[in-house]
Amino acid sequence: MDWLQPTLTWYLASTAIAFAVAPLILMTFRHVTDRGASLIRPLGLLLLVWPVWLLASVAGELVPVRGLTLWLAVAAAAGVLWLVGLRARILNRDSLMHL
């Protein structure tokens, strides 16, 4: 049972990241049949982890790659993207049911 805790942690983290970037994916892929649902986890990971990694590569002392840094990036992205999505009126019950 050593695999259960890391698997659950990975699943919950990727779900939180997918939830954070959902408005951006819905805006970008609104004309696609699945509205980007098949791409939300890989694109979410790329859009949130890559900038943190890049900043850590350039300025490692200022932005260390740690769990706290990644969770702060997820929280900041979620706040900004959900605010933009609500203001643009693309987030409604129908669009969120597809994810």
Side-chain angles (χ1 to χ4, degrees):
M1 291 279 264
D2 291 337
W3 56 270
L4 184 61
Q5 194 272 334
T7 304
L8 186 61
T9 302
W10 173 253
Y11 178 75
L12 292 175
S14 67
T15 301
I17 290 171
F19 183 75
V21 299
L24 177 66
I25 300 298
L26 285 173
M27 282 189 282
T28 306
F29 296 104
R30 66 178 164 253
H31 299 296
V32 180
T33 304
D34 72 345
R35 298 186 182 181
S38 59
L39 298 173
I40 196 165
R41 286 183 195 261
L43 284 179
L45 288 170
L46 180 67
L47 292 172
L48 289 175
V49 174
W50 183 72
V52 173
W53 171 81
L54 184 64
L55 284 172
S57 296
V58 174
E61 296 83 31
L62 297 175
V63 184
V65 177
R66 295 192 179 144
L68 178 63
T69 308
L70 294 171
W71 284 115
L72 288 175
V74 170
V80 169
L81 292 174
W82 277 85
L83 183 64
V84 168
L86 290 172
R87 289 217 148 163
R89 295 180 187 232
I90 61 156
L91 296 175
N92 54 30
R93 181 172 288 195
D94 293 333
S95 65
L96 294 176
M97 292 303 284
H98 290 289
L99 297 177

